Amino acid sequence: ESARAEAESLGYTVVDAESVIVTHLTETIRSHAAELLTRQDVRTLLDRLKETNAAVVEEVVPDALTLGEIQRVLQSLLSEGVPIADLGTIVEAIGDKARTTRDTSLLSEYARQALGRAITAPHLDEQLRLQAITLDPAIEQEVSTSITQTTDGEYLAMDPPRAQAIVAALRAQVEHATARGGQGPVLLCSARIRRHLRRLIAQAQPHLAVCSYNEISPGISVETVGVIHA
């Protein structure tokens, strides 16, 4: 009711106010989808998938991956706004890679690669071009060598002032690219560093999509609109 009253106070009609509320709720749900996805939700989704693609579900769950591991992969995808409607492709992709790793962060990257066309589609212009900001090769290598392996998985062990310099350089490139108009840029990098780079810039650039070269499908051309030097 308070949201409706606020919308109406700004001059919206009742119908407009309700539309504003629905839009707001939709965006709120979308932004918290990863947190809202429960293990029971995943079970329900897999049961539905089993009705049309029993083979892939039976092959993967529970022998290759547990329900909890699949939940964490789906939550990782949702946290970056990646749709999980094509659940069959996701389960098949991570099921194949589960023979070599049970690291759900890495499995999420394999799922992203399988969903590459769906991930890049919102960022393409009418000519199927992807405007991208890339890293200077030296910085790409620097980030890669700063990734440290621990018993709890990988994390980026970079000197904070150096990390902030990269984030600041990225912000400048985003502002420059945005001023040009168009679909808006994505940050493009290698699959090796993609998830670590995403975590690094999450607070400064929460809405900037970070894609790997492995997610670029055939037929899509990449237009580099900025390069990060720091």
Side-chain angles (χ1 to χ4, degrees), residues 99-112:
R99 299 184 180 91
T100 57
T101 182
R102 299 290 287 268
D103 184 333
T104 54
S105 294
L106 189 54
L107 290 174
S108 298
E109 294 302 306
Y110 289 128
R112 286 182 61 95

Side-chain angles (χ1 to χ4, degrees), residues 34-47:
E35 302 166 32
L36 297 173
L37 184 71
T38 67
R39 198 160 295 188
Q40 182 58 49
D41 293 332
V42 176
R43 167 54 64 193
T44 300
L45 290 172
L46 289 173
D47 286 344

Side-chain angles (χ1 to χ4, degrees), residues 10 43 65 67 78 82 153 172 184 219:
L10 296 175
R43 167 54 64 193
L65 292 168
L67 193 64
L78 289 171
V82 177

Side-chain angles (χ1 to χ4, degrees), residues 86-103:
D86 192 356
L87 187 61
T89 295
I90 296 171
V91 174
E92 186 172 352
I94 64 178
D96 289 341
K97 297 299 183 179
R99 299 184 180 91
T100 57
T101 182
R102 299 290 287 268
D103 184 333

Side-chain angles (χ1 to χ4, degrees), residues 9 38 71 80 91 160 191 225:
S9 71
T38 67
Q71 178 192 18
E80 292 193 54
V91 174
V225 296

Side-chain angles (χ1 to χ4, degrees), residues 11-222:
Y12 293 106
T13 65
V14 173
V15 173
D16 288 338
E18 291 179 351
S19 178
V20 170
I21 294 169
V22 170
T23 300
H24 175 70
L25 289 175
T26 300
E27 290 301 320
T28 300
I29 292 171
R30 183 180 292 115
S31 63
H32 294 282
E35 302 166 32
L36 297 173
L37 184 71
T38 67
R39 198 160 295 188
Q40 182 58 49
D41 293 332
V42 176
R43 167 54 64 193
T44 300
L45 290 172
L46 289 173
D47 286 344
R48 290 177 182 171
L49 176 61
K50 196 171 183 179
E51 295 174 1
T52 57
N53 196 345
V56 69
V57 177
E58 293 170 355
E59 182 181 355
V60 176
V61 187
D63 294 336
L65 292 168
T66 67
L67 193 64
E69 288 169 330
I70 293 177
Q71 178 192 18
R72 288 193 290 277
V73 169
L74 296 180
Q75 287 176 324
S76 177
L77 296 173
L78 289 171
S79 68
E80 292 193 54
V82 177
I84 62 171
D86 192 356
L87 187 61
T89 295
I90 296 171
V91 174
E92 186 172 352
I94 64 178
D96 289 341
K97 297 299 183 179
R99 299 184 180 91
T100 57
T101 182
R102 299 290 287 268
D103 184 333
T104 54
S105 294
L106 189 54
L107 290 174
S108 298
E109 294 302 306
Y110 289 128
R112 286 182 61 95
Q113 292 169 27
L115 296 171
R117 192 171 296 278
I119 289 174
T120 57
H123 308 289
L124 302 178
D125 63 17
E126 294 179 353
Q127 288 73 43
L128 298 183
R129 290 179 304 190
L130 183 71
Q131 292 189 350
I133 296 171
T134 61
L135 300 178
D136 180 272
I139 295 181
E140 179 109 21
Q141 180 62 30
E142 180 183 0
V143 174
S144 181
T145 55
S146 298
I147 297 173
T148 301
Q149 179 69 50
T150 71
T151 55
D152 295 324
E154 293 181 342
Y155 73 97
L156 187 62
M158 181 174 280
D159 182 57
R162 181 60 181 147
Q164 288 306 309
I166 293 174
V167 172
L170 170 62
R171 182 184 297 111
Q173 291 295 334
V174 170
E175 291 174 353
H176 176 72
T178 302
R180 295 180 44 174
Q183 290 293 103
V186 303
L187 179 57
L188 194 59
C189 61
S190 68
R192 171 76 178 112
I193 71 171
R194 196 211 68 83
R195 67 185 185 276
H196 301 288
L197 198 58
R198 178 68 199 128
R199 294 190 189 112
L200 176 63
I201 71 167
Q203 290 188 337
Q205 299 286 339
H207 302 299
L208 180 64
V210 183
C211 301
S212 79
Y213 292 104
N214 292 355
E215 296 166 16
I216 308 302
S217 303
I220 294 175
S221 60
V222 176

